[in-house]
Amino acid sequence: MTQQSQNLVIGLAGLGTVGGGLVSLLASNADIIERRTGKRIVLKRVLVHNLAKPRTVPLPPDVSLTDDLTALTDDPEIDAIVEVIGGKTTAKDLISRALDHNKHIVTANKALLAEEGQPLFSKAKQRNRILRYEASVAGAIPIVQALKESLASNHIHSLVGILNGTSNYVLSEMTNRHLDFTEALNGAQKKGYAEADPSLDIDGHDAAHKLVLLIRLAFGVHYDFTALPIHGIRGLSKLDIELADQLGYHIKLVGQVREAGTNSTPGGPIEAGVFPALVPHSFLLARVEGAFNAIHIKADAAGSLFFHGRGAGDLPTASAVLADLLAVAREEYPNNTGFALDLPDATVADPNDWTSCYYVRMMVEDTPGVLRDIAGCMARFGVSMSHVIQRTTEDLDLVPLVLLTHETTEKAMQSALRDIETLLKPKELVSFKVLS
Amino acid sequence: MTQQSQNLVIGLAGLGTVGGGLVSLLASNADIIERRTGKRIVLKRVLVHNLAKPRTVPLPPDVSLTDDLTALTDDPEIDAIVEVIGGKTTAKDLISRALDHNKHIVTANKALLAEEGQPLFSKAKQRNRILRYEASVAGAIPIVQALKESLASNHIHSLVGILNGTSNYVLSEMTNRHLDFTEALNGAQKKGYAEADPSLDIDGHDAAHKLVLLIRLAFGVHYDFTALPIHGIRGLSKLDIELADQLGYHIKLVGQVREAGTNSTPGGPIEAGVFPALVPHSFLLARVEGAFNAIHIKADAAGSLFFHGRGAGDLPTASAVLADLLAVAREEYPNNTGFALDLPDATVADPNDWTSCYYVRMMVEDTPGVLRDIAGCMARFGVSMSHVIQRTTEDLDLVPLVLLTHETTEKAMQSALRDIETLLKPKELVSFKVLS
């Protein structure tokens, strides 16, 4: 696109939920886009896997379908390519070849960028091309823009987010309707919020992909996806959700990254992971319901910032894709990673030294001495407790015993839990971090 | 600044809270700014009113002070000017003259832009200069950026925000600590959250200035500030806060703009105003505590978006100013109003036709027939009630009677209230809109 031109010609790769949403939005909102920006986004060609497949989204008459990747990447009339096919192999080939042909890229592909993004970012930089991915993280929430531009003068201290709508929907249903995990997951699948194979969402991998992108943007480092601690919500017990609620917490699947230790230095070691955590009712993050996403940031100048919105869906995601396309149309400075330099690998603090408060729940016999033994195991490793609940019921052999700890290290907590396991052999022993 | 240069040379007008915050932030975070953007923001000269006044913020040795406006506006070495002196007269002269000298402008001056911004936006457009004002609205929350860029493909349906931290602090104190208005305001003044003359904050004018800027960005129209309905929180009764809380609402001072009617058309009539309103506890907006700001947006593609953060303070505001300066350093496309065209005047729906649910509270004698009479007045104008509470106490002649209405028009509500006033002559009769 020349600076004089008011049109940006695009090729679209993928005509699923997001691709269809983009086609609809381009048609319905061409007027507002032109009023706001003076630009027209002109869709020229759409790459699909199967040309014969019936399409529900009506394509404008001058838009052609193709199943040949090079019909997008090699077309000199196309300025930018939107990649929303998902998966890693074809998407990577497409983006790489498109960059070779000096196309700008807009993608929603969090898995590709998290796992194999580095060479693509390098190539984009080398070719001075714009590679944008607002739609990859938290759907319509403009978090990439916020981290890259609005907070550019800030040292980020921490970021914690609800980054996967499917698992948040499941947890919300378990909390509000007192369902167990399987019932809630089945309900989510019936409503189309969860895939037939829900592993990517439920086991935390999708949230982890997004977290790797957010770490890059917030801290300017590359965190190896395969090294990220990931714990999902599969099989989470309804009992823990109820007990946590009574104690003043909601259990949420969060992705968190923060500077390690208390006397953190910029560019110093960080801690990061995806895990279910107890979030105090008083935090806005605890109020995130259903399939929504949210992100809370602490930064040195801006202070505390919280963003909440739709994390998925055809139009919310298309809205983010279009924001990126309009930035491409403005020919914005291609600072793709949010940092001007090539990103170094993250310095990761030893997970043994990470600190947190913890919730621990076990099923124990309701006999004298149990609490004394548990307290002994905790004390041996310097873990102090802030709260203990022992629920007594007459008709059960085993009763839940719940405790909350003060801040302690992961190493001390795991050591105490191993001692409890050995000494008491409780039928169940689960623990969660508590956000503070 | 040439495209090759990595430095942006700035002049700063004003060395109060925000100006001081900017000087500090430039000094403390020069490293992160350069890591992120590859740019250096170089402060050359600071305009102050009184050269002799002692300064708490240490200025770098190569930065000079001046009390001559033209030493900023006319200096060919200065690329951009930051205006944080506040007030309208000098600030306007400064910005206007700086634009004449082809400077880019970053300002936090909501009053100036809301009341007299049109000629400045026109001049900036004519000279192809960047005029940015992220810090003018909601402090560190990147709402200007979100509306101008992230939501650029969206028709905005509505926007409602807590835009004034001082009045939100007062209301939070009244709600959480059961203070009356005067006690809470005195406390805010002691803590430095409120000025000695609190009128701008408490009476809603500051929120109204910000709302006018948000209307421009969200709807692409110019809403005449003097025509905006503004109701503040002065003298708000502790009793209404308590009664609202019992009914499941917090009272918040909100600025709201939305498309009028149900079958709204883009570019059609809008409703807007600043007023205290009952916000359901289940809304995130009801959870905004203390001096924080927050904004909730409904848009056709992105859906529901909520932003929360610090609305004032030296560093949060300086963070927003620096984000704007970095956009200037990138020489971003100067779409200053968020719309490519000159903005038309807003079409404002007749306030009589605006619809809302209402909370009404009056002090009445606790005698039979009172409720019948009130219900009669309501029914006469087609106002139906969803909830009535009559508090009976043995030791008072007058008791509070509270009712919530279903959605009705402003005209019907005011007519019913006038009838109640005439018929029952209640000692007090107050009403608030209820957000839904």
Short mmCIF file of all heavy atoms in Angstrom, two decimals, chain A residues 29 35-37 142 145 147 149-150 152-154 217-218 300-301 304-306 308-309 315-316 319 330 332-333 335 339-340, chain B residues 29 35-37 142 145 149-150 152-154 217-218 300-301 304-306 308-309 315-316 319 323 330 332-333 335 339-340:
data_model
loop_
_atom_site.label_atom_id
_atom_site.label_comp_id
_atom_site.label_asym_id
_atom_site.label_seq_id
_atom_site.Cartn_x
_atom_site.Cartn_y
_atom_site.Cartn_z
N ASN A 29 -19.76 -3.32 8.75
CA ASN A 29 -19.24 -2.09 9.36
C ASN A 29 -18.27 -1.32 8.48
O ASN A 29 -17.47 -0.53 8.98
CB ASN A 29 -18.59 -2.42 10.72
CG ASN A 29 -19.64 -2.70 11.79
OD1 ASN A 29 -20.82 -2.88 11.47
ND2 ASN A 29 -19.23 -2.72 13.04
N ARG A 35 -15.54 5.96 8.13
CA ARG A 35 -15.74 7.23 8.88
C ARG A 35 -14.61 7.45 9.86
O ARG A 35 -14.15 8.56 10.06
CB ARG A 35 -17.05 7.18 9.68
CG ARG A 35 -18.28 7.70 8.95
CD ARG A 35 -19.49 7.71 9.89
NE ARG A 35 -19.41 8.77 10.89
CZ ARG A 35 -20.03 8.73 12.08
NH1 ARG A 35 -20.76 7.68 12.42
NH2 ARG A 35 -19.92 9.74 12.92
N ARG A 36 -14.20 6.34 10.52
CA ARG A 36 -13.18 6.50 11.56
C ARG A 36 -11.78 6.69 10.98
O ARG A 36 -11.01 7.49 11.47
CB ARG A 36 -13.16 5.27 12.47
CG ARG A 36 -14.29 5.24 13.48
CD ARG A 36 -14.05 4.08 14.43
NE ARG A 36 -15.16 3.87 15.33
CZ ARG A 36 -15.27 4.44 16.51
NH1 ARG A 36 -14.36 5.29 16.92
NH2 ARG A 36 -16.30 4.19 17.28
N THR A 37 -11.47 5.91 9.96
CA THR A 37 -10.07 5.84 9.55
C THR A 37 -9.80 6.41 8.18
O THR A 37 -8.65 6.61 7.81
CB THR A 37 -9.59 4.37 9.55
OG1 THR A 37 -10.34 3.67 8.54
CG2 THR A 37 -9.84 3.71 10.89
N PRO A 142 -8.16 -5.26 24.35
CA PRO A 142 -6.98 -4.74 23.63
C PRO A 142 -5.72 -4.80 24.49
O PRO A 142 -5.06 -3.80 24.74
CB PRO A 142 -7.37 -3.30 23.31
CG PRO A 142 -8.34 -2.92 24.37
CD PRO A 142 -9.07 -4.18 24.78
N GLN A 145 -2.17 -4.23 22.54
CA GLN A 145 -2.00 -2.79 22.33
C GLN A 145 -1.63 -2.09 23.64
O GLN A 145 -0.73 -1.23 23.67
CB GLN A 145 -3.33 -2.23 21.78
CG GLN A 145 -3.36 -0.75 21.54
CD GLN A 145 -2.80 -0.41 20.17
OE1 GLN A 145 -1.85 -1.01 19.67
NE2 GLN A 145 -3.41 0.57 19.53
N LEU A 147 -0.15 -3.28 26.34
CA LEU A 147 1.21 -3.58 26.79
C LEU A 147 2.26 -2.97 25.86
O LEU A 147 3.29 -2.48 26.31
CB LEU A 147 1.41 -5.10 26.89
CG LEU A 147 0.71 -5.76 28.09
CD1 LEU A 147 0.69 -7.27 27.93
CD2 LEU A 147 1.40 -5.38 29.40
N GLU A 149 1.95 -0.35 23.74
CA GLU A 149 1.95 1.10 23.53
C GLU A 149 1.56 1.88 24.79
O GLU A 149 2.30 2.73 25.25
CB GLU A 149 1.04 1.45 22.35
CG GLU A 149 1.50 0.73 21.09
CD GLU A 149 0.88 1.24 19.81
OE1 GLU A 149 0.00 2.08 19.86
OE2 GLU A 149 1.31 0.74 18.73
N SER A 150 0.40 1.56 25.36
CA SER A 150 -0.09 2.39 26.46
C SER A 150 0.81 2.30 27.68
O SER A 150 0.96 3.26 28.44
CB SER A 150 -1.52 1.99 26.83
OG SER A 150 -2.34 2.07 25.69
N ALA A 152 4.07 1.49 27.60
CA ALA A 152 5.45 1.38 27.11
C ALA A 152 6.47 2.06 28.03
O ALA A 152 7.64 1.71 28.00
CB ALA A 152 5.57 1.95 25.70
N SER A 153 6.04 2.98 28.86
CA SER A 153 7.01 3.65 29.76
C SER A 153 7.07 2.97 31.12
O SER A 153 7.75 3.47 32.01
CB SER A 153 6.63 5.12 29.94
OG SER A 153 5.47 5.22 30.73
N ASN A 154 6.37 1.86 31.29
CA ASN A 154 6.26 1.20 32.59
C ASN A 154 7.13 -0.04 32.71
O ASN A 154 7.21 -0.84 31.78
CB ASN A 154 4.81 0.75 32.83
CG ASN A 154 3.87 1.89 33.18
OD1 ASN A 154 3.44 2.01 34.31
ND2 ASN A 154 3.56 2.73 32.20
N LEU A 217 5.41 -9.60 25.82
CA LEU A 217 5.01 -8.20 25.73
C LEU A 217 5.27 -7.42 27.01
O LEU A 217 5.61 -6.24 26.98
CB LEU A 217 3.52 -8.10 25.39
CG LEU A 217 3.14 -8.55 23.98
CD1 LEU A 217 1.66 -8.91 23.91
CD2 LEU A 217 3.47 -7.46 22.98
N ALA A 218 5.08 -8.09 28.15
CA ALA A 218 5.20 -7.37 29.43
C ALA A 218 6.65 -7.26 29.87
O ALA A 218 7.05 -6.24 30.43
CB ALA A 218 4.37 -8.08 30.50
N ASP A 300 4.76 -0.03 37.42
CA ASP A 300 5.33 0.93 38.37
C ASP A 300 4.73 2.32 38.27
O ASP A 300 4.51 2.97 39.29
CB ASP A 300 6.87 0.96 38.31
CG ASP A 300 7.42 1.45 36.96
OD1 ASP A 300 6.64 1.54 35.99
OD2 ASP A 300 8.64 1.73 36.90
N ALA A 301 4.43 2.78 37.07
CA ALA A 301 3.87 4.13 36.95
C ALA A 301 2.35 4.10 36.89
O ALA A 301 1.67 4.79 37.64
CB ALA A 301 4.43 4.83 35.70
N SER A 304 -2.30 -0.11 39.17
CA SER A 304 -3.12 -1.30 38.93
C SER A 304 -4.09 -1.05 37.78
O SER A 304 -4.81 -0.06 37.77
CB SER A 304 -3.91 -1.58 40.22
OG SER A 304 -5.03 -2.37 39.96
N LEU A 305 -4.08 -1.96 36.80
CA LEU A 305 -5.00 -1.85 35.66
C LEU A 305 -5.72 -3.18 35.47
O LEU A 305 -5.09 -4.25 35.56
CB LEU A 305 -4.24 -1.53 34.38
CG LEU A 305 -3.93 -0.07 34.08
CD1 LEU A 305 -2.97 0.01 32.89
CD2 LEU A 305 -5.21 0.70 33.76
N PHE A 306 -7.02 -3.12 35.17
CA PHE A 306 -7.81 -4.33 34.99
C PHE A 306 -8.63 -4.20 33.72
O PHE A 306 -9.26 -3.17 33.49
CB PHE A 306 -8.73 -4.51 36.21
CG PHE A 306 -9.67 -5.68 36.12
CD1 PHE A 306 -9.22 -6.96 36.43
CD2 PHE A 306 -11.00 -5.51 35.76
CE1 PHE A 306 -10.09 -8.06 36.37
CE2 PHE A 306 -11.87 -6.59 35.70
CZ PHE A 306 -11.41 -7.87 36.01
N HIS A 308 -11.44 -6.37 31.11
CA HIS A 308 -12.43 -7.46 31.13
C HIS A 308 -13.22 -7.44 29.82
O HIS A 308 -13.65 -6.37 29.37
CB HIS A 308 -13.38 -7.22 32.31
CG HIS A 308 -14.50 -8.20 32.48
ND1 HIS A 308 -15.73 -8.05 31.87
CD2 HIS A 308 -14.56 -9.34 33.19
CE1 HIS A 308 -16.51 -9.07 32.23
NE2 HIS A 308 -15.84 -9.86 33.02
N GLY A 309 -13.37 -8.59 29.19
CA GLY A 309 -14.14 -8.62 27.95
C GLY A 309 -14.27 -10.03 27.40
O GLY A 309 -13.85 -11.00 28.03
N LEU A 315 -17.36 -12.42 16.30
CA LEU A 315 -17.23 -10.97 16.15
C LEU A 315 -16.24 -10.34 17.13
O LEU A 315 -15.46 -9.45 16.72
CB LEU A 315 -18.61 -10.29 16.26
CG LEU A 315 -19.56 -10.62 15.10
CD1 LEU A 315 -20.89 -9.92 15.29
CD2 LEU A 315 -18.95 -10.25 13.75
N PRO A 316 -16.21 -10.75 18.41
CA PRO A 316 -15.18 -10.16 19.29
C PRO A 316 -13.77 -10.39 18.76
O PRO A 316 -12.92 -9.48 18.79
CB PRO A 316 -15.41 -10.89 20.62
CG PRO A 316 -16.86 -11.25 20.61
CD PRO A 316 -17.15 -11.59 19.17
N SER A 319 -13.18 -8.29 15.70
CA SER A 319 -12.94 -6.89 16.08
C SER A 319 -11.46 -6.64 16.34
O SER A 319 -10.90 -5.62 15.92
CB SER A 319 -13.77 -6.56 17.33
OG SER A 319 -13.39 -5.33 17.90
N ARG A 330 -2.49 1.99 8.61
CA ARG A 330 -1.80 3.23 8.99
C ARG A 330 -0.29 3.11 8.82
O ARG A 330 0.44 4.06 9.06
CB ARG A 330 -2.07 3.56 10.47
CG ARG A 330 -3.48 3.98 10.80
CD ARG A 330 -3.59 4.54 12.21
NE ARG A 330 -3.23 3.59 13.25
CZ ARG A 330 -4.05 2.74 13.83
NH1 ARG A 330 -5.33 2.67 13.45
NH2 ARG A 330 -3.65 1.93 14.78
N GLU A 332 1.82 1.44 10.70
CA GLU A 332 2.46 1.74 11.99
C GLU A 332 3.81 1.04 12.07
O GLU A 332 3.97 -0.08 11.63
CB GLU A 332 1.56 1.30 13.14
CG GLU A 332 0.53 2.34 13.48
CD GLU A 332 -0.11 2.10 14.83
OE1 GLU A 332 0.29 1.16 15.53
OE2 GLU A 332 -1.01 2.87 15.16
N TYR A 333 4.70 1.73 12.65
CA TYR A 333 6.01 1.27 13.09
C TYR A 333 5.95 -0.21 13.54
O TYR A 333 5.24 -0.55 14.48
CB TYR A 333 6.32 2.20 14.27
CG TYR A 333 7.51 1.93 15.12
CD1 TYR A 333 8.80 2.02 14.62
CD2 TYR A 333 7.34 1.66 16.48
CE1 TYR A 333 9.88 1.85 15.45
CE2 TYR A 333 8.42 1.48 17.33
CZ TYR A 333 9.70 1.57 16.80
OH TYR A 333 10.75 1.39 17.62
N ASN A 335 6.85 -2.53 15.53
CA ASN A 335 7.47 -3.02 16.77
C ASN A 335 6.67 -4.23 17.24
O ASN A 335 5.83 -4.14 18.13
CB ASN A 335 7.46 -1.91 17.82
CG ASN A 335 8.20 -2.34 19.08
OD1 ASN A 335 8.72 -3.45 19.15
ND2 ASN A 335 8.23 -1.48 20.06
N PHE A 339 9.10 -4.72 21.98
CA PHE A 339 10.45 -4.30 22.38
C PHE A 339 11.28 -4.09 21.11
O PHE A 339 11.14 -4.84 20.14
CB PHE A 339 11.12 -5.34 23.29
CG PHE A 339 10.58 -5.27 24.69
CD1 PHE A 339 9.36 -5.85 25.01
CD2 PHE A 339 11.25 -4.57 25.68
CE1 PHE A 339 8.84 -5.76 26.29
CE2 PHE A 339 10.74 -4.46 26.96
CZ PHE A 339 9.53 -5.07 27.27
N ALA A 340 12.13 -3.08 21.18
CA ALA A 340 12.90 -2.74 19.99
C ALA A 340 14.02 -3.73 19.72
O ALA A 340 14.44 -3.93 18.58
CB ALA A 340 13.48 -1.33 20.15
N ASN B 29 12.65 5.78 34.23
CA ASN B 29 12.34 4.70 33.29
C ASN B 29 12.89 4.92 31.89
O ASN B 29 12.39 4.31 30.93
CB ASN B 29 10.83 4.47 33.25
CG ASN B 29 10.32 3.75 34.50
OD1 ASN B 29 11.05 3.65 35.48
ND2 ASN B 29 9.11 3.23 34.45
N ARG B 35 14.49 0.39 25.76
CA ARG B 35 14.40 -1.04 25.43
C ARG B 35 13.16 -1.34 24.60
O ARG B 35 13.16 -2.14 23.68
CB ARG B 35 14.33 -1.89 26.71
CG ARG B 35 15.66 -2.35 27.26
CD ARG B 35 15.44 -3.30 28.45
NE ARG B 35 14.97 -4.60 28.06
CZ ARG B 35 14.25 -5.42 28.84
NH1 ARG B 35 13.92 -5.08 30.06
NH2 ARG B 35 13.86 -6.60 28.39
N ARG B 36 12.06 -0.69 25.00
CA ARG B 36 10.81 -1.00 24.32
C ARG B 36 10.72 -0.35 22.95
O ARG B 36 10.24 -0.96 22.00
CB ARG B 36 9.61 -0.51 25.15
CG ARG B 36 9.30 -1.41 26.33
CD ARG B 36 7.99 -0.92 26.95
NE ARG B 36 7.67 -1.61 28.17
CZ ARG B 36 6.95 -2.72 28.23
NH1 ARG B 36 6.49 -3.28 27.13
NH2 ARG B 36 6.67 -3.27 29.39
N THR B 37 11.12 0.91 22.86
CA THR B 37 10.78 1.66 21.66
C THR B 37 11.98 2.03 20.82
O THR B 37 11.82 2.46 19.68
CB THR B 37 10.07 2.97 22.05
OG1 THR B 37 10.99 3.78 22.80
CG2 THR B 37 8.85 2.69 22.91
N PRO B 142 -6.08 3.16 29.33
CA PRO B 142 -5.86 3.55 27.93
C PRO B 142 -7.16 3.59 27.13
O PRO B 142 -7.30 2.91 26.12
CB PRO B 142 -4.90 2.48 27.42
CG PRO B 142 -5.19 1.26 28.25
CD PRO B 142 -5.63 1.77 29.60
N GLN B 145 -6.95 5.41 23.47
CA GLN B 145 -6.35 4.46 22.52
C GLN B 145 -7.35 3.36 22.15
O GLN B 145 -7.49 2.99 20.99
CB GLN B 145 -5.11 3.83 23.19
CG GLN B 145 -4.39 2.80 22.38
CD GLN B 145 -3.39 3.45 21.44
OE1 GLN B 145 -3.63 4.52 20.87
NE2 GLN B 145 -2.27 2.80 21.25
N GLU B 149 -8.46 3.20 18.33
CA GLU B 149 -7.80 2.19 17.52
C GLU B 149 -8.38 0.79 17.73
O GLU B 149 -8.80 0.15 16.78
CB GLU B 149 -6.29 2.21 17.82
CG GLU B 149 -5.71 3.60 17.52
CD GLU B 149 -4.20 3.67 17.49
OE1 GLU B 149 -3.53 2.66 17.78
OE2 GLU B 149 -3.69 4.76 17.16
N SER B 150 -8.42 0.32 18.97
CA SER B 150 -8.82 -1.07 19.19
C SER B 150 -10.27 -1.31 18.79
O SER B 150 -10.62 -2.40 18.34
CB SER B 150 -8.61 -1.45 20.65
OG SER B 150 -7.27 -1.20 21.03
N ALA B 152 -11.94 0.49 16.52
CA ALA B 152 -12.21 1.32 15.33
C ALA B 152 -13.18 0.68 14.36
O ALA B 152 -13.81 1.37 13.56
CB ALA B 152 -10.90 1.66 14.62
N SER B 153 -13.35 -0.63 14.41
CA SER B 153 -14.29 -1.27 13.48
C SER B 153 -15.67 -1.45 14.10
O SER B 153 -16.54 -2.07 13.50
CB SER B 153 -13.76 -2.64 13.05
OG SER B 153 -13.84 -3.55 14.13
N ASN B 154 -15.88 -0.92 15.30
CA ASN B 154 -17.13 -1.14 16.03
C ASN B 154 -18.07 0.06 15.99
O ASN B 154 -17.62 1.21 16.13
CB ASN B 154 -16.83 -1.42 17.51
CG ASN B 154 -16.29 -2.82 17.75
OD1 ASN B 154 -16.98 -3.66 18.29
ND2 ASN B 154 -15.05 -3.07 17.35
N LEU B 217 -14.98 10.50 20.84
CA LEU B 217 -14.23 9.32 20.41
C LEU B 217 -15.13 8.14 20.09
O LEU B 217 -14.85 7.35 19.19
CB LEU B 217 -13.24 8.91 21.51
CG LEU B 217 -12.07 9.86 21.73
CD1 LEU B 217 -11.47 9.66 23.12
CD2 LEU B 217 -11.01 9.65 20.66
N ALA B 218 -16.19 7.99 20.84
CA ALA B 218 -17.04 6.81 20.67
C ALA B 218 -18.04 6.99 19.54
O ALA B 218 -18.33 6.04 18.80
CB ALA B 218 -17.79 6.50 21.97
N ASP B 300 -20.83 -3.25 19.00
CA ASP B 300 -21.54 -4.31 18.26
C ASP B 300 -20.69 -5.54 18.00
O ASP B 300 -21.20 -6.66 18.08
CB ASP B 300 -22.17 -3.76 16.96
CG ASP B 300 -21.15 -3.23 15.96
OD1 ASP B 300 -19.96 -3.05 16.32
OD2 ASP B 300 -21.55 -2.98 14.80
N ALA B 301 -19.42 -5.38 17.72
CA ALA B 301 -18.58 -6.55 17.45
C ALA B 301 -17.86 -7.03 18.70
O ALA B 301 -17.94 -8.20 19.07
CB ALA B 301 -17.57 -6.24 16.33
N SER B 304 -19.07 -6.58 25.24
CA SER B 304 -18.93 -5.83 26.48
C SER B 304 -17.45 -5.74 26.87
O SER B 304 -16.76 -6.75 26.93
CB SER B 304 -19.72 -6.56 27.57
OG SER B 304 -19.29 -6.20 28.84
N LEU B 305 -16.98 -4.53 27.13
CA LEU B 305 -15.59 -4.33 27.56
C LEU B 305 -15.57 -3.44 28.80
O LEU B 305 -16.31 -2.46 28.87
CB LEU B 305 -14.77 -3.63 26.47
CG LEU B 305 -14.15 -4.49 25.39
CD1 LEU B 305 -13.60 -3.59 24.29
CD2 LEU B 305 -13.06 -5.39 25.92
N PHE B 306 -14.71 -3.79 29.75
CA PHE B 306 -14.63 -3.04 31.00
C PHE B 306 -13.17 -2.75 31.31
O PHE B 306 -12.32 -3.64 31.22
CB PHE B 306 -15.26 -3.86 32.13
CG PHE B 306 -15.17 -3.23 33.50
CD1 PHE B 306 -16.06 -2.23 33.88
CD2 PHE B 306 -14.22 -3.65 34.42
CE1 PHE B 306 -15.99 -1.65 35.15
CE2 PHE B 306 -14.15 -3.08 35.69
CZ PHE B 306 -15.03 -2.08 36.05
N HIS B 308 -10.51 -0.68 34.16
CA HIS B 308 -10.45 -0.20 35.54
C HIS B 308 -9.02 0.20 35.87
O HIS B 308 -8.09 -0.56 35.57
CB HIS B 308 -10.91 -1.34 36.46
CG HIS B 308 -10.88 -1.04 37.93
ND1 HIS B 308 -9.77 -1.27 38.72
CD2 HIS B 308 -11.83 -0.56 38.76
CE1 HIS B 308 -10.05 -0.94 39.97
NE2 HIS B 308 -11.29 -0.52 40.03
N GLY B 309 -8.83 1.37 36.47
CA GLY B 309 -7.48 1.77 36.83
C GLY B 309 -7.46 3.10 37.54
O GLY B 309 -8.52 3.67 37.87
N LEU B 315 2.19 9.71 38.78
CA LEU B 315 2.76 8.72 37.87
C LEU B 315 1.72 8.06 36.95
O LEU B 315 2.02 7.86 35.77
CB LEU B 315 3.54 7.66 38.66
CG LEU B 315 4.81 8.19 39.36
CD1 LEU B 315 5.49 7.09 40.14
CD2 LEU B 315 5.77 8.80 38.34
N PRO B 316 0.52 7.71 37.44
CA PRO B 316 -0.45 7.16 36.48
C PRO B 316 -0.75 8.12 35.32
O PRO B 316 -0.84 7.70 34.17
CB PRO B 316 -1.69 6.93 37.36
CG PRO B 316 -1.15 6.71 38.74
CD PRO B 316 0.04 7.64 38.84
N SER B 319 2.24 8.30 33.04
CA SER B 319 2.29 7.09 32.20
C SER B 319 1.48 7.29 30.91
O SER B 319 1.92 6.92 29.82
CB SER B 319 1.77 5.89 32.99
OG SER B 319 1.54 4.78 32.16
N ALA B 323 2.86 7.54 27.03
CA ALA B 323 2.34 6.71 25.95
C ALA B 323 2.05 7.58 24.72
O ALA B 323 2.36 7.21 23.59
CB ALA B 323 1.07 5.98 26.40
N ARG B 330 6.75 7.79 17.25
CA ARG B 330 6.55 6.87 16.12
C ARG B 330 5.96 7.59 14.92
O ARG B 330 5.74 6.98 13.86
CB ARG B 330 5.58 5.74 16.52
CG ARG B 330 6.10 4.76 17.52
CD ARG B 330 5.18 3.53 17.64
NE ARG B 330 3.83 3.86 18.07
CZ ARG B 330 3.44 3.96 19.34
NH1 ARG B 330 4.30 3.79 20.31
NH2 ARG B 330 2.19 4.24 19.63
N GLU B 332 2.88 8.60 14.50
CA GLU B 332 1.65 7.93 14.11
C GLU B 332 0.71 8.90 13.40
O GLU B 332 0.59 10.06 13.78
CB GLU B 332 0.95 7.35 15.34
CG GLU B 332 1.50 5.99 15.66
CD GLU B 332 0.63 5.22 16.64
OE1 GLU B 332 -0.51 5.64 16.88
OE2 GLU B 332 1.12 4.20 17.13
N TYR B 333 0.06 8.37 12.44
CA TYR B 333 -1.05 8.96 11.70
C TYR B 333 -1.88 9.86 12.61
O TYR B 333 -2.47 9.37 13.58
CB TYR B 333 -1.82 7.73 11.20
CG TYR B 333 -3.14 7.92 10.56
CD1 TYR B 333 -3.28 8.59 9.36
CD2 TYR B 333 -4.27 7.33 11.14
CE1 TYR B 333 -4.52 8.69 8.76
CE2 TYR B 333 -5.51 7.41 10.54
CZ TYR B 333 -5.62 8.10 9.36
OH TYR B 333 -6.86 8.19 8.78
N ASN B 335 -4.73 10.93 13.58
CA ASN B 335 -6.20 10.89 13.61
C ASN B 335 -6.65 11.31 15.00
O ASN B 335 -6.96 10.49 15.85
CB ASN B 335 -6.67 9.47 13.27
CG ASN B 335 -8.19 9.41 13.17
OD1 ASN B 335 -8.87 10.41 13.34
ND2 ASN B 335 -8.71 8.24 12.89
N PHE B 339 -11.81 10.03 14.36
CA PHE B 339 -12.60 9.97 13.14
C PHE B 339 -11.88 10.75 12.05
O PHE B 339 -11.26 11.79 12.34
CB PHE B 339 -14.02 10.52 13.35
CG PHE B 339 -14.90 9.55 14.08
CD1 PHE B 339 -14.80 9.41 15.45
CD2 PHE B 339 -15.77 8.72 13.39
CE1 PHE B 339 -15.58 8.48 16.13
CE2 PHE B 339 -16.56 7.79 14.06
CZ PHE B 339 -16.45 7.67 15.43
N ALA B 340 -11.95 10.25 10.83
CA ALA B 340 -11.20 10.87 9.75
C ALA B 340 -11.84 12.18 9.30
O ALA B 340 -11.17 13.07 8.80
CB ALA B 340 -11.11 9.90 8.57
#
